[in-house]
Amino acid sequence: MAQQPPPAGAAGPAGHPDGPEPPPELPERVVKIYGEHDLSTVPAFAGGFINFGYWAGLADIDGRPLTEADRVRSEEDLYRLVLGTFERPEGRTALEVGCGRGLGCALALREFALGSVIGLDAHPDQITRAREANAALLGGPAGRAGRLDFVLGAAERIPLPDDCVDLLYSVEAAQHFRDLAGFAREAARVLRAGGRLAVTTFFARSREAARVLPELLPPYADGLDVPHVVDEVAATLVAAGLRDVRVRPIGDGVWEPYDRYLAQQPEPRDRWARRYLTAYETGLLDYYVLTAGAG
C-alpha cells in the first residue's frame, strides 16, 4: 500500500473436516494499518476505498490537476475493470476476498446486477466498518436485504462451503497474502464448476526484483506486503486446479496518474510512496489483472 500512517471470530469453512477455527493471526503491521490507523483515511486514498486506482477511463486528465473526484473514480474504475472480466454476472453469487469497507461489494451489486455478494476480510475492524458503511443494503427493503453479507475470515481459509460461489474477485489485497497457494486452493474449492476468478494487485516482475523491492519500498521490508512474483502467482493458480489462467499488465493505466495525484498532495507524510513509479519504470514491479476458470 502507499503512504502509510506512522508506525505505531468467524466460523471455519464447512469444506474443512476440523470444523470452526478463527483466521490465522495477522502480521502486526497489517493489524495496525487496517485497525487503529485505518488506511482508508489516509489522503493518498479517497472515498473509503484503498487501492491505487485505474485511471485510463478518465477523460482529459493530461495537463490538468487531478481532483479528489478523479481519485475516487479511479478506485471505482479498478473495480469496474475487474468485475468487467466476468461474462453475464447478472443474478450470480460473488465473493470478494479482502473487501475492506465493502464499497466494492456495493458497487458490484449496484452496477453489475449480481444476485448476491459476500465480502470477506481477515481484519475484524474492516468487517465492522463494512457493515456500518453498508447498513442500508444489509437491512434494506424486501428484494435488497439478503443480497449482501460480510464475513470474517482469511484468504487461505475461507469460511464458506465447497462449490458455493460463481465468481471470486480480489482487488489490491493479494499482496498481503502470506500463503498464496492456500488462497488458490480455497478459491478452487469454493468456486462452482464453470466459475471465474479475477485478482488484481501489484506483483514483482521477477525473483531478482522481489529481492530488491524491500530496499526501495518500506511495506515490503516492514511486513505489510509480500513481493510475490507474477509468474509464480499464475503458476500457483494452475497448480490449484484453476484453468485458462491469464495475466494482463495494466500499469500504464495506474502508476503515472497515481504518482501525479500524490505529487499534488500537501507535504505527503511518507515521501517514499512515490517510489512505486520508480519501481515500475525500472522494471521491478507492475500492476496486473489475473483471471482464471474453475471446473
Side-chain angles (χ1 to χ4, degrees):
M1 286 299 174
Q3 201 176 356
Q4 296 173 221
H16 290 280
D18 49 351
E21 182 177 313
E25 183 178 353
L26 293 172
E28 181 181 358
R29 192 64 174 144
V30 174
V31 171
K32 289 184 177 181
I33 288 295
Y34 291 99
E36 62 186 279
H37 293 318
D38 189 1
L39 192 60
S40 68
T41 64
V42 170
F45 305 108
F49 289 92
I50 309 174
N51 66 64
F52 288 123
Y54 185 66
W55 304 74
L58 278 72
D60 303 321
I61 63 172
D62 292 338
R64 69 164 174 83
L66 298 174
T67 67
E68 184 172 304
D70 293 328
R71 183 68 183 101
V72 174
R73 167 70 184 274
S74 78
E75 294 172 289
E76 293 174 335
D77 278 358
L78 186 60
Y79 271 93
R80 294 181 179 112
L81 181 71
V82 170
L83 293 163
T85 66
F86 299 134
E87 294 183 5
R88 297 183 296 277
E90 297 85 356
R92 304 179 81 182
T93 299
L95 169 66
E96 179 177 352
V97 177
C99 67
R101 288 179 174 265
L103 303 183
C105 296
L107 184 150
L109 282 174
R110 182 174 66 249
E111 298 187 16
F112 289 82
L114 289 158
S116 61
V117 177
I118 302 164
L120 177 80
D121 204 283
H123 202 301
D125 288 359
Q126 292 291 66
I127 293 296
T128 297
R129 293 174 187 132
R131 289 173 177 158
E132 292 173 350
N134 297 279
L137 278 175
L138 291 169
R144 291 177 59 188
R147 295 180 59 208
L148 179 63
D149 193 15
F150 294 105
V151 177
L152 178 67
E156 65 270 23
R157 196 170 180 82
I158 296 172
L160 296 174
D162 297 353
D163 307 316
C164 65
V165 298
D166 302 301
L167 310 170
L168 187 152
Y169 65 96
S170 182
V171 174
E172 204 164 303
Q175 76 279 4
H176 298 316
F177 299 168
R178 268 59 189 170
D179 181 7
L180 265 176
F183 162 67
R185 289 191 298 269
E186 284 292 86
R189 180 182 68 80
V190 300
L191 279 167
R192 298 184 178 114
R196 298 293 301 175
L197 171 144
V199 172
T200 191
T201 196
F202 47 99
F203 293 121
R205 287 180 172 174
S206 66
R207 287 193 176 185
E208 177 57 30
R211 286 191 286 270
V212 173
L213 281 169
E215 301 172 11
L216 182 68
L217 294 167
Y220 289 123
D222 69 15
L224 182 64
D225 295 336
V226 181
H228 297 300
V229 178
V230 64
D231 289 344
E232 295 176 3
V233 176
T236 298
L237 296 177
V238 172
L242 296 166
R243 56 179 176 77
D244 189 27
V245 176
R246 301 185 183 186
V247 178
R248 175 188 171 192
I250 61 167
D252 57 350
V254 175
W255 300 113
E256 190 279 332
Y258 174 75
D259 183 75
R260 190 148 54 92
Y261 181 80
L262 278 187
Q264 295 177 188
Q265 304 309 302
E267 294 298 325
R269 178 165 45 232
D270 296 308
R271 295 179 181 277
W272 60 260
R274 300 193 61 195
R275 298 178 196 165
Y276 284 96
L277 180 60
T278 301
Y280 169 62
E281 292 178 335
T282 56
L284 295 176
L285 59 68
D286 201 353
Y287 213 101
Y288 299 91
V289 177
L290 281 71
T291 58

